Amino acid sequence: MSSTVDTIKHLLGKISQSSLNSYIWTDAERTLAMARASEEYTAARSPRALEGMSIGIKDLFSMKGTPTSACSKILRDYVAPYESTVTERLWNAGAIFMGKQNCDEFGMGSANIHSSYGPALNPHSRNGQPTSPGGSSGGGAASVAAGLNDVSIGTDTGGSSRQPAAWTGIVGFKPTYGLVSRHGVIAHASSLDCPGIMARDVLTVARVLQTIAGYDPKDAQTYDMPVPDFIGACSANLPLKIASYNPSPETLKLPFAESHKVDIGYILEHCVDTYMDISTGEAMSNLARYNGIRYGAKINNYTNFAEYCQRTRSENFGSEVKRRILMGTYVLSNNGLLYKRASQVRQWIAHQMQQQVWNHYDVLVMPTATIGAMTLDEVQHAHCEDIYQSDQCTVMPSLIGGVAMSIPGGLDTDGMPMGIQIIGPPFAEAKVLQVAAHLERSLDRMSVIKQIKS
Amino acid sequence: MVKPFCEEDLKRLCILASLDYTDSLKFLSELQEINTKVIELINSAPVSSDYPEWEGVQGPKSMDGNATVKAEDTIKDFPHDSPIVNRLIKAPKTL
């Protein structure tokens, strides 16, 4: 049986040889020191909750003394002076830091092509072409799928952990908004941002969630309440009612559940535009701080202060970030009329979901994405509006602040992974984990994919 | 009523957003397209203008959604391995 240090050395070797561009920063010395410390805990027969688990971290998480750039040129020299709550809890539980992982700049994107480090690649290739792992947490998803680490910690603002999980054939999880602290996570859209978890199976996600969930006085949005037994939920057998929106209920036969089809199409059709209004408005506000004074790269040879700020931002933000800042500025202009209307529609979406689904069912099952992974060529030439619309299955749970998990749902006609999504209202993690763990084993996944594609 | 997006809007937005106007011109047609669509949809929103705004995630009144798993409710020796994932992970890497 190999030791933790041997295993970690092996993984570091795989990372250094990988052509996926999924890791952007590693520190082998630090990683091996953590592995040696982990071995001591194990030898003393007092292992911690995540002892020896290898974890990669999305470059949006601040880690003390560690480069943290949000994969943006504007933060290229930034070294975080403090530790995020999520990473602090992981290291205290014995997890081993493998490195910082590639993502779309500031978490804005669905294909990991908007990174100053270049695109990450999917280990599963469509027809032999370089293929996107999805985004924005594409580097983390690709790493888990390729076996470079056990778990990747991403973020999930509108599906950024679930969609890459679906495209790479792994499990991706978004907790209830406020269940896991955002302290130390570089902000994208503050009313939607959640840390996300990606792993190869549901139980591992539950183990990590058990460690990182819970009240944090440094994040006012977290809830002061006991953390439930998420690990036990994975083997629970409680009677549940499942709503299904494509795939059909017949494909979701579980011994403890009854399934019924629901029609929520009229709700989903408002979700992407509502999400774009809200997320760009909040992103514009959050990114105002990167002006080369308090934060951000600095430029030389300027004639006045306005030019200094404009050039600093224009020369160091990527195109997708600039596009969203402009959209967000527009949304917040006119006294915020568009943002206010989007906020009203968001409340309507939550109300409709409550009335149509949550008042009658425990969880909802639907596809994670309507298509499998796209090639890099396809995503680079796609219209940005089409890319935004590709998030149509993942943004609804984000807008209502609920819980959602993508599990592998089979393969498409090219043999590329597809995901199915289990969604619950806020604080329904246990029910979502129960259904996901059972579906993970019992589903006839190929038949589910036929349902999704038909 | 919100007016459609135009070039003058872009100039104004660049000042507000501290972004270079010339550099931002490349986004004009996309922004016009997206904003026209967004405005159309927002104007045809399914709610009236006096509908309440997003109230945020409401904290749980109880832990019913999460804390109902007791030892007797779990399946002993529930196998947690996942055949489909194992197949995908072991699939030959084509890159």
Side-chain angles (χ1 to χ4, degrees):
Chain A
M1 193 172 155
S2 63
S3 69
T4 304
V5 172
D6 290 340
T7 305
I8 295 299
K9 275 183 183 169
H10 172 69
L11 292 177
L12 285 170
K14 282 179 75 172
I15 290 169
S16 68
Q17 289 168 6
S18 169
S19 57
L20 299 175
N21 196 28
S22 58
Y23 272 88
I24 58 165
W25 187 88
T26 55
D27 180 350
E29 205 172 302
R30 177 175 174 181
T31 300
L32 288 170
M34 291 175 87
R36 283 190 286 274
S38 179
E39 276 192 352
E40 285 174 21
Y41 274 90
T42 307
R45 297 183 185 280
S46 56
R48 297 162 289 180
L50 304 178
E51 202 65 74
M53 185 180 282
S54 55
I55 297 192
I57 303 292
K58 186 176 187 176
D59 197 32
L60 286 178
F61 284 79
S62 300
M63 288 177 59
K64 191 173 182 179
T66 306
T68 302
S69 73
C71 286
S72 177
K73 240 172 89 179
I74 208 161
L75 281 175
R76 64 186 164 225
D77 296 324
Y78 178 69
V79 175
Y82 67 100
E83 189 82 16
S84 77
T85 297
V86 165
T87 51
E88 186 175 43
R89 289 181 180 180
L90 290 171
W91 315 146
N92 288 342
I96 296 170
F97 171 55
M98 300 302 290
K100 283 295 190 77
Q101 292 174 323
N102 204 348
C103 62
D104 283 302
E105 185 179 4
F106 287 100
M108 296 181 197
S110 304
N112 208 145
I113 56 170
H114 301 296
S115 164
S116 67
Y117 295 91
L121 294 176
N122 193 330
H124 303 281
S125 162
R126 187 180 288 283
N127 299 323
Q129 301 295 311
T131 301
S132 165
S136 64
S137 310
S143 299
V144 169
L148 304 182
N149 49 268
D150 296 320
V151 170
S152 292
I153 298 297
T155 57
D156 194 313
T157 303
S160 284
S161 289
R162 289 165 283 149
Q163 182 256 23
W167 279 20
T168 56
I170 61 167
V171 177
F173 182 77
K174 173 218 171 295
T176 296
Y177 179 81
L179 184 72
V180 180
S181 172
R182 299 163 305 158
H183 173 68
V185 183
I186 293 176
H188 168 185
S190 300
S191 77
L192 297 157
D193 287 343
C194 292
I197 305 168
M198 292 170 287
R200 287 189 280 274
D201 58 78
V202 174
L203 181 64
T204 303
V205 168
R207 287 178 62 201
V208 174
L209 181 64
Q210 197 77 59
T211 297
I212 64 175
Y215 177 65
D216 177 14
K218 294 170 185 167
D219 181 353
Q221 295 294 328
T222 54
Y223 292 86
D224 192 0
M225 60 187 193
V227 176
D229 178 9
F230 298 129
I231 297 170
C234 291
S235 52
N237 200 25
L238 299 168
L240 297 178
K241 283 188 173 178
I242 298 177
S244 128
Y245 178 71
N246 192 3
S248 73
E250 292 74 39
T251 62
L252 300 172
K253 282 182 182 162
L254 291 173
F256 53 79
E258 54 175 292
S259 304
H260 298 279
K261 194 169 185 176
V262 292
D263 183 7
I264 55 167
Y266 76 100
I267 304 172
L268 296 180
E269 72 183 30
H270 292 284
C271 287
V272 171
D273 298 290
T274 304
Y275 170 81
M276 286 309 294
D277 269 18
I278 288 168
S279 66
T280 56
E282 295 180 3
M284 177 272 173
S285 176
N286 279 325
L287 269 59
R289 73 192 74 172
Y290 303 106
N291 56 10
I293 300 170
R294 290 175 63 199
Y295 290 100
K298 297 179 181 3
I299 59 154
N300 298 313
N301 305 322
Y302 54 92
T303 53
N304 57 51
F305 179 68
E307 185 198 341
Y308 174 80
C309 290
Q310 282 184 1
R311 280 190 44 215
T312 295
R313 289 163 65 80
S314 290
E315 290 174 18
N316 291 292
F317 279 138
S319 62
E320 180 62 24
V321 170
K322 284 188 277 193
R323 185 187 288 121
R324 293 199 192 198
I325 287 175
L326 288 168
M327 284 173 64
T329 309
Y330 188 59
V331 164
L332 295 182
S333 60
N334 290 307
N335 291 320
L337 180 61
L338 282 173
Y339 186 88
K340 185 185 174 198
R341 287 298 277 156
S343 181
Q344 289 171 321
V345 179
R346 183 179 186 181
Q347 182 64 24
W348 175 84
I349 290 166
H351 184 66
Q352 289 299 307
M353 285 301 296
Q354 185 66 46
Q355 284 194 323
Q356 299 298 320
V357 184
W358 310 134
N359 283 350
H360 313 286
Y361 302 98
D362 296 292
V363 299
L364 166 70
V365 178
M366 61 184 278
T368 311
T370 50
I371 54 169
M374 297 164 77
T375 65
L376 281 190
D377 189 55
E378 285 171 334
V379 288
Q380 280 162 345
H381 290 94
H383 191 289
C384 62
E385 173 67 10
D386 294 334
I387 296 289
Y388 299 156
Q389 290 297 331
S390 73
D391 291 337
Q392 60 183 282
C393 297
T394 53
V395 292
M396 180 272 287
S398 302
L399 287 169
I400 68 170
V403 48
M405 185 170 217
S406 176
I407 63 172
L411 308 172
D412 69 10
T413 48
D414 286 337
M416 296 298 288
M418 298 282 285
I420 56 171
Q421 194 177 197
I422 302 100
I423 301 167
F427 305 102
E429 273 77 9
K431 290 171 182 172
V432 167
L433 287 165
Q434 176 184 333
V435 173
H438 284 269
L439 280 179
E440 185 179 53
R441 285 196 51 76
S442 66
L443 220 56
D444 177 353
R445 291 170 172 82
M446 292 312 290
S447 68
V448 172
I449 288 309
K450 282 175 196 157
Q451 293 283 346
I452 291 170
K453 288 184 73 67
S454 60
Chain B
M1 185 63 71
V2 181
K3 289 185 292 183
F5 194 82
C6 64
E7 203 167 321
E8 277 306 306
D9 287 320
L10 183 62
K11 275 185 193 165
R12 187 170 51 87
L13 294 188
C14 285
I15 293 168
L16 288 170
S18 285
L19 288 174
D20 182 68
Y21 172 66
T22 313
D23 175 62
S24 302
L25 270 172
K26 61 190 172 199
F27 301 121
L28 183 61
S29 62
E30 285 173 353
L31 288 169
Q32 281 172 330
E33 231 175 285
I34 291 167
N35 280 286
T36 303
K37 194 161 179 290
V38 167
I39 290 165
E40 273 172 15
L41 277 157
I42 291 295
N43 284 340
S44 64
V47 289
S48 62
S49 57
D50 58 355
Y51 196 82
E53 290 185 54
W54 171 241
E55 294 167 351
V57 173
Q58 302 302 303
K61 293 181 179 67
S62 72
M63 290 305 298
D64 285 350
N66 266 329
T68 48
V69 182
K70 300 173 189 142
E72 60 267 30
D73 294 327
T74 59
I75 303 169
K76 281 185 182 173
D77 304 322
F78 179 77
H80 284 292
D81 62 307
S82 166
I84 182 74
V85 176
N86 289 339
R87 276 209 303 280
L88 289 169
I89 298 305
K90 286 172 186 168
K93 306 294 181 293
T94 46
L95 285 171

